[in-house]
Amino acid sequence: MARYDARDAEVLVFTFKEGLLSAVAHDLKLTVKRFSIEVDGVKATGEFEAGSLAVVTAMKDGGETPGALPAFAAGEIEKNAHGDVLDARRFPTIRFETTEVTPSTVAGRLTLHGVSKDLRGTRTTHDGKDVAEFEFDQRDFGIKPFSAMLGTLKIKPRIKVRVVVPKT
């Protein structure tokens, strides 16, 4: 059985802005800093600390835009993500367990915010690593997407999660 964490694997979360003031906001690339993933053949189980989500950078048109996000904003975003969005004190662990893995798909059960749902995503290989990507609606897990300024600045309900592990 192989075991991975942030030293040799990566878990990224991508959020996308919307709303009347979206022109002044940023799409975001975030990372999960504390997690463990165990892979045994085609079966994989991951546990991720909800309170370890951290901002990597702002994004624009699918590309990174370092420096576009003011330094103070990353801390506020992380505070809101941990507290208001994920409620990490009440739901500290996010869990995913595969139910099916093929050369092009990964399916499994995600438990997030106290709700468990089946998910299906894509599986590819890039630079000698296995990459799984999932898109889902936060609301399906009882999460209210972040909004500010009376709803004129919001995060879209659909987010993307990318998990990258060494090829097994």
Side-chain angles (χ1 to χ4, degrees), residues 46-60:
E47 290 198 354
F48 315 90
E49 281 189 36
S52 73
L53 195 65
V55 174
V56 175
T57 190
M59 303 284 288
K60 184 173 182 175

Side-chain angles (χ1 to χ4, degrees), residues 115 117 136-145 156-158:
V115 177
K117 296 273 186 184
F136 60 89
D137 190 318
Q138 301 170 68
R139 297 172 299 187
D140 291 343
F141 294 89
I143 296 173
K144 181 180 176 194
K156 288 183 180 180
R158 289 197 70 76

